[in-house]
Amino acid sequence: MGRYVIRRLLQMIPVFIGTTLLIFIMVYALGDPVSALFGDRAPDPATAAQIRHDLHLDEPLWKQYLLYMAGIFTGNFGTAFNGQPVTELMRTAFPITVRLTIVAILIEAVFGVLLGVVSGLRRRGWVDTAVLVLTLVVVSVPTFVTGYLLQLLLGVRWGVAPATVSAEAPFNELIVPGLVLAAVSLAYVTRLTRTTVAENARADYVRTAVAKGLPRHRVVGRHLLRNSLIPVVTFLGTDIGALMGGALVTERIFNIHGVGYQLYQGILRQNSPTVVGFVTILVIIFLIANLLVDLLYAVLDPRIRYA
Amino acid sequence: MTTTTEKSVNPQAGKAGTPLLEVRDLHVEFRTRDGVAKAVNGVNYSVSAGETLAVLGESGSGKSVTAQAIMGILDSPPGFVTQGQINFQGRDLLKLSEKERRRIRGAKMAMIFQDALSSLNPVLTVGYQLGEMFRVHQGMSRKDAKAKAIELMDRVRIPAARERVNDYPHQFSGGMRQRIMIAMALALEPDLIIADEPTTALDVTVQAQVMDLLAELQREYHMGLILITHDLGVVADVADKIAVMYAGRIVETAPVHELYKQPAHPYTRGLLDSIPRLDQKGQELYAIKGLPPNLLRIPSGCAFNPRCPMAQDVCRTDIPVLHPVTDSRGSACHFWKETLDG
């Protein structure tokens, strides 16, 4: 187990270097960040050259990358377009997005599993049919449509929830955005749970549990669910990483100043330190989430042992 | 949801004349999209305390479905009991509520399944799965239940039970897993055990060990045992009487040794003739021609007639009843006398 974890951590190094290099090149290809800094006005050539020199933009790309990586390991992610250090932006942005992700994951886990179990146990019943149609609709509609729709209906027309989120982004304001962010994954969790529950309900060990004279809630809760939820839990784990990076659209709609918002601003203003910095952190979160999921898998299923 | 069930033996059970379990005219059908499959069509059999009944038949003969109906674990839908009685310790199980049946399951009657690997829960320890019997039926504490689980594992002779109680099913060998299944069935000392092909998934050497253990424990606890199998070799040593099933009916029933010596049904004869024998080495092995019937379209008359070497016109029109051959034997063949003599 210990050796497995070490091997997995070592495997992260090339993935980390590869992704950051890729992002670095892509941002570089966006164009000249210095002229973007001056907006519509033509920059004074001397000032522009000075800025280029300060930001090492006059160096070749490989050297820029190495300088950037060296900075990262000393905790220096560079400076954002407004003069703030990128680390400062991260300090405000990540807690907000983490809160949003927690809301989304909770919605996915609770409602997805609940609906999935009910429809999986009563296949072809009215609940099952309704859930299938509903999940299909949710999967088919893009996030920006559900987002603006819910914002309009719940926030503006009926006024039951705030239409936009304040700067502090407390949990209660994040419920509707969390729902929007979770929608597609929620549909997926529901379907995944439904399939595994229906599959396991026919398994021999469930028949054994019934033959032992166990009450139904115990047959379903201890025997059926314990097995059915293994793939669901692993999906939820990997989804954490995806949700944190994928909140871009949702954060724009509800004016949440989280990771997605800062990334959007960074791209808009061709500010490479912001973009590369945030993406780097997201990559690390994604890799760690994946590792934790794999380790969790071995805990949930005793048949799996890593060596 | 814990209920303490006292081990009270029904005074009638075990007394001569009143069998522990009596199945009467049982009918089970499966309502599938392709039509109604008539899996069990009027089965009668009985088991007394301490007695072993072997139910023999090919796959699809209804032997397992009958057992599932007795246990009350039929997949429903699509399976439905449409007619009949299952009298157990003086009560018709089919008239009981689901809650009452659940109390009987596991405690008064238990089942051993064919494939122990898939029949045990892969993500729970064997100690948990054994202890669950005591915790649910007797409200025992987790700790006491574990002690009981170790005791049971010792009972079925699993080496180092104390160390292995926290292992998972996949960490045991096939024979040891089947011993755990047996231990689970024995946990609450039931009056009846139904073993559905308990040795089919095992190596031949292990088969004998497991079968011996089962027979020994049955004698010790004086339980009724229904042994479902398609293996005539397994039956001969342990069973008292045999019921041969075909297309959801019992075609022949007899004490073991009489049936082996002189079958009274052409199907039984076919089964016996298809066992490889040492004194017929080198000769071609007999096989019953044709295939088991499609339960959606069971042939009219005697269901066996398309495969029967003795079939006459009457076999294609009239369903034979179970004729009494002797006091303890019956054959559902129009020509049972000829079969017996031939």
Side-chain angles (χ1 to χ4, degrees):
Chain A
M1 194 69 157
R3 279 173 66 184
Y4 174 79
V5 175
I6 291 167
R7 204 170 67 220
R8 282 291 302 265
L9 288 171
L10 289 177
Q11 279 171 359
M12 281 185 184
I13 295 170
V15 177
F16 176 73
I17 293 172
T19 42
T20 45
L21 184 61
L22 216 61
I23 296 295
F24 204 84
I25 293 169
M26 282 195 280
V27 172
Y28 187 85
L30 279 177
D32 184 4
V34 176
S35 55
L37 205 60
F38 285 86
D40 293 336
R41 288 177 299 130
D44 166 44
T47 321
Q50 183 60 44
I51 294 172
R52 278 205 183 85
H53 182 73
D54 289 347
L55 296 176
H56 308 294
L57 292 175
D58 48 358
E59 306 278 6
L61 184 63
W62 64 268
K63 201 166 178 190
Q64 283 185 42
Y65 178 72
L66 287 183
L67 282 166
Y68 179 76
M69 290 304 274
I72 281 183
F73 285 104
T74 54
N76 177 15
F77 279 85
T79 312
F81 58 87
N82 60 0
Q84 268 186 303
V86 173
T87 44
E88 194 63 41
L89 288 184
M90 287 174 176
R91 239 190 293 282
T92 56
F94 270 100
I96 293 173
T97 298
V98 166
R99 278 205 289 278
L100 180 63
T101 306
I102 289 171
V103 173
I105 283 284
L106 282 179
I107 290 172
E108 276 177 36
V110 174
F111 293 101
V113 169
L114 209 68
L115 290 173
V117 169
V118 172
S119 59
L121 286 177
R122 299 196 199 290
R123 287 217 301 168
R124 288 179 240 290
W126 68 269
V127 176
D128 184 34
T129 313
V131 163
L132 278 185
V133 172
L134 215 68
T135 51
L136 191 66
V137 171
V138 169
V139 170
S140 317
V141 177
T143 307
F144 66 85
V145 176
T146 44
Y148 281 121
L149 205 67
L150 285 181
Q151 187 182 40
L152 179 70
L153 292 178
L154 297 173
V156 182
R157 284 278 171 79
W158 304 330
V160 289
T164 57
V165 176
S166 59
E168 296 81 32
F171 273 112
N172 61 330
E173 289 181 11
L174 290 173
I175 292 172
V176 178
L179 182 67
V180 172
L181 182 63
V184 174
S185 294
L186 171 65
Y188 191 75
V189 170
T190 306
R191 288 204 163 201
L192 186 65
T193 310
R194 173 186 182 270
T195 310
T196 58
V197 164
E199 203 174 280
N200 280 290
R202 287 193 299 269
D204 288 347
Y205 67 81
V206 171
R207 192 185 55 186
T208 309
V210 176
K212 283 163 84 173
L214 306 183
R216 185 165 169 78
H217 67 84
R218 203 178 170 96
V219 173
V220 173
R222 286 291 159 86
H223 289 266
L224 177 58
L225 274 190
R226 182 71 175 67
N227 280 278
S228 306
L229 290 186
I230 294 171
V232 178
V233 168
T234 54
F235 171 78
L236 286 175
T238 39
D239 206 35
I240 291 176
L243 285 180
M244 289 201 63
L248 215 128
V249 175
T250 310
E251 291 193 357
R252 276 284 294 159
I253 294 171
F254 293 95
N255 192 37
I256 303 166
H257 289 202
V259 173
Y261 174 85
Q262 297 295 355
L263 258 177
Y264 176 78
Q265 294 294 334
I267 294 168
L268 208 65
R269 291 168 204 271
Q270 291 177 20
N271 186 271
S272 49
T274 312
V275 177
V276 182
F278 273 85
V279 172
T280 304
I281 298 292
L282 286 176
V283 166
I284 291 171
I285 289 174
F286 200 83
L287 289 176
I288 288 174
N290 268 302
L291 175 62
L292 289 179
V293 162
D294 285 349
L295 295 179
L296 189 65
Y297 203 78
V299 174
L300 292 175
D301 191 340
R303 285 166 295 183
I304 291 168
R305 284 282 170 266
Y306 299 120
Chain B
M1 282 302 287
T2 45
T3 47
T4 316
T5 46
E6 277 179 44
K7 279 232 56 105
S8 63
V9 178
N10 187 304
Q12 286 192 313
K15 216 186 260 179
T18 315
L20 174 68
L21 172 88
E22 191 181 21
V23 178
R24 272 200 200 151
D25 194 31
L26 187 74
H27 286 72
V28 181
E29 60 184 38
F30 286 90
R31 293 166 195 161
T32 67
R33 220 178 288 175
D34 304 325
V36 177
K38 298 200 179 287
V40 177
N41 305 297
V43 159
N44 294 284
Y45 61 58
S46 66
V47 190
S48 301
E51 190 181 38
T52 300
L53 165 74
V55 181
L56 204 71
E58 293 167 291
S59 34
S61 62
K63 54 193 197 306
S64 294
V65 175
T66 310
Q68 284 170 11
I70 294 169
M71 282 299 291
I73 56 167
L74 210 55
D75 252 342
S76 186
F80 295 92
V81 175
T82 52
Q83 204 180 314
Q85 287 179 9
I86 299 170
N87 296 314
F88 179 69
Q89 295 179 333
R91 287 194 290 180
D92 184 359
L93 296 183
L94 296 176
K95 291 204 174 74
L96 298 183
S97 70
E98 173 50 32
K99 202 175 168 190
E100 288 170 305
R101 292 205 76 175
R102 183 170 67 66
R103 294 223 175 107
I104 293 173
R105 276 202 292 270
K108 302 276 176 203
M109 56 164 71
M111 193 154 174
I112 298 165
F113 296 98
Q114 175 177 344
D115 183 1
L117 181 59
S118 64
S119 297
L120 290 168
N121 195 322
V123 300
L124 299 174
T125 64
V126 296
Y128 183 91
Q129 296 184 61
L130 288 168
E132 207 176 18
M133 300 295 288
F134 301 101
R135 290 175 59 200
V136 170
H137 286 278
Q138 300 182 342
M140 209 179 262
S141 74
R142 205 178 264 261
K143 203 177 139 222
D144 293 347
K146 187 175 246 177
K148 278 282 195 183
I150 296 170
E151 210 175 282
L152 275 172
M153 287 167 73
D154 273 331
R155 197 81 240 223
V156 295
R157 284 183 230 120
I158 292 171
R162 192 167 294 277
E163 289 84 62
R164 303 215 65 187
V165 69
N166 291 326
D167 282 357
Y168 292 91
H170 72 274
Q171 291 167 297
F172 290 85
S173 67
M176 288 299 147
R177 272 197 292 267
Q178 196 55 284
R179 282 166 195 263
I180 289 161
M181 280 299 286
I182 292 173
M184 202 148 77
L186 279 173
L188 303 176
E189 298 179 20
D191 302 303
L192 176 73
I193 288 209
I194 302 174
D196 191 353
E197 310 247 5
T199 59
T200 309
L202 304 175
D203 293 340
V204 185
T205 46
V206 182
Q207 276 184 8
Q209 291 170 14
V210 168
M211 214 48 239
D212 288 346
L213 175 73
L214 191 59
E216 180 196 314
L217 292 166
Q218 183 224 357
R219 268 197 304 279
E220 197 181 319
Y221 291 104
H222 201 61
M223 299 175 295
L225 174 65
I226 298 177
L227 182 64
I228 297 166
T229 183
H230 62 256
D231 187 345
L232 282 157
V234 168
V235 170
D237 304 327
V238 293
D240 298 306
K241 57 183 186 184
I242 291 192
V244 181
M245 285 190 72
Y246 189 82
R249 285 173 201 276
I250 291 183
V251 293
E252 179 168 8
T253 170
V256 170
H257 298 289
E258 290 181 38
L259 182 129
Y260 273 75
K261 220 185 310 170
Q262 227 180 1
H265 195 285
Y267 177 60
T268 316
R269 159 159 307 187
L271 287 179
L272 290 172
D273 286 347
S274 51
I275 304 174
R277 281 166 51 171
L278 275 178
D279 57 343
Q280 288 172 357
K281 219 171 146 187
Q283 292 178 35
E284 195 180 331
L285 193 62
Y286 176 82
I288 303 172
K289 63 172 185 176
L291 294 169
N294 180 347
L295 295 176
L296 294 169
R297 283 183 305 274
I298 296 174
S300 63
C302 173
F304 188 57
N305 84 70
R307 305 170 73 186
C308 183
M310 299 173 70
Q312 308 285 325
D313 285 345
V314 63
C315 301
R316 286 181 265 276
T317 52
D318 295 1
I319 298 176
V321 295
L322 200 70
H323 303 282
V325 177
T326 65
D327 283 350
S328 54
R329 296 191 65 168
S331 165
C333 178
H334 294 298
F335 302 99
W336 63 269
K337 280 200 190 93
E338 291 81 344
T339 314
L340 205 60
D341 297 338

